[in-house]
């Protein structure tokens, strides 16, 4: 009935969605997911410097997910805090843009990320595997479906997106590819 949801909290677990100041948000608002309860870890084993203090605070575990809760307690994940794009002071969730681009019949894979921008802090760019689909068609789809500030500034077409052994797209490699392309265009 709720295919977009990951379900409800496990028994004996408290789940909340909070703002950046750890204040609980109303039902339906998107924010940072946190969880606590018996059996929920309180620190990382062999902790990397700062990892525990960032992920575990005031008895809560922050797994790094951006989500919202509905009135019945169903959790919908919309992205990762590490993937969040901050453009002109506005939070943009790459998953929303990726979902729109995947609706195009020519798109096989897509990854959206933020890249540095002197004007806005970050710009939205999309890496797309879409055969011979023109970039303008993908941008037009985004313009019809998204707020203007979410429309990618650039769509980079490729034959294949880099993946780890589990099949997950490696966004750090895409970011590096973008920087290499940018350097080649702008020069040293």
């Amino acid at each position: 009935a709720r295919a977009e949801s990951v379900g409800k909290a496990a028994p004996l677990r408290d789940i909340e969605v909070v703002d950046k100041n750890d204040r609980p948000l109303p039902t339906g608002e998107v924010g940072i997911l946190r969880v606590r309860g018996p059996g929920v870890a309180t620190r990382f084993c062999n902790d990397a410097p700062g990892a525990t203090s960032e992920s575990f605070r005031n008895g809560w575990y922050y797994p790094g997910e951006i989500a919202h809760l509905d009135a019945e307690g169903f959790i919908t994940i919309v992205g990762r805090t590490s993937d969040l794009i901050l453009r002109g002071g506005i939070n943009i969730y790459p998953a929303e843009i990726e979902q729109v681009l995947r609706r195009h019949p020519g798109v096989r894979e897509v990854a959206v990320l933020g890249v540095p921008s002197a004007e806005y802090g970050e710009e939205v760019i999309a890496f797309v595997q879409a055969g011979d689909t023109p970039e303008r068609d993908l941008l037009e789809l985004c313009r019809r479906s998204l707020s203007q500030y979410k429309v990618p500034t650039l769509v980079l077409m490729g034959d294949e997106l880099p993946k780890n052994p589990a099949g997950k797209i490696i966004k750090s490699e895409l970011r590096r590819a973008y920087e290499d392309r940018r350097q080649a265009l702008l020069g040293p």
Side-chain angles (χ1 to χ4, degrees), residues 13-100:
R13 302 295 186 279
D14 294 324
I15 296 276
E16 286 185 343
V17 174
V18 297
D19 66 15
K20 64 183 179 182
N21 296 314
D22 294 335
R23 292 182 299 240
L25 293 172
T27 299
E29 283 199 32
V30 174
I32 302 163
L33 184 70
R34 68 181 185 180
V35 61
R36 69 178 175 193
V40 176
T42 57
R43 67 179 181 83
F44 291 122
C45 182
N46 299 324
D47 187 6
T52 289
S53 63
E54 187 173 316
S55 297
F56 298 91
R57 298 189 302 276
N58 302 319
W60 290 92
Y61 169 52
Y62 293 74
E65 307 290 348
I66 298 172
H68 63 82
L69 295 169
D70 72 11
E72 295 177 41
F74 283 88
I75 307 158
T76 300
I77 305 292
V78 298
R80 303 243 345 122
T81 54
S82 61
D83 292 339
L84 182 70
I85 300 167
L86 187 60
R87 182 174 191 265
I90 300 171
N91 292 340
I92 300 173
Y93 305 103
E96 179 184 4
I97 302 164
E98 291 167 354
Q99 185 178 19
V100 167

Side-chain angles (χ1 to χ4, degrees), residues 101-174:
L101 287 166
R102 279 190 198 100
R103 290 195 322 233
H104 191 284
V107 171
R108 290 185 290 285
E109 289 188 308
V110 62
V112 171
L113 54 119
V115 296
S117 162
E119 187 175 0
Y120 295 109
E122 286 186 293
E123 286 291 350
V124 178
I125 64 169
F127 290 84
V128 180
Q129 181 187 5
D132 60 356
T133 303
E135 176 185 358
R136 69 178 177 278
D137 290 359
L138 299 175
L139 288 171
E140 183 54 36
L141 174 63
C142 288
R143 285 186 196 102
R144 286 192 319 264
S145 306
L146 299 165
S147 300
Q148 181 58 39
Y149 64 90
K150 296 178 185 178
V151 174
T153 305
L154 179 64
V155 175
L156 297 171
M157 307 297 272
D159 294 329
E160 194 168 326
L161 301 181
K163 294 187 194 90
N164 66 19
K168 184 176 180 194
I169 294 170
I170 306 171
K171 289 190 174 185
S172 61
E173 286 189 25
L174 293 175

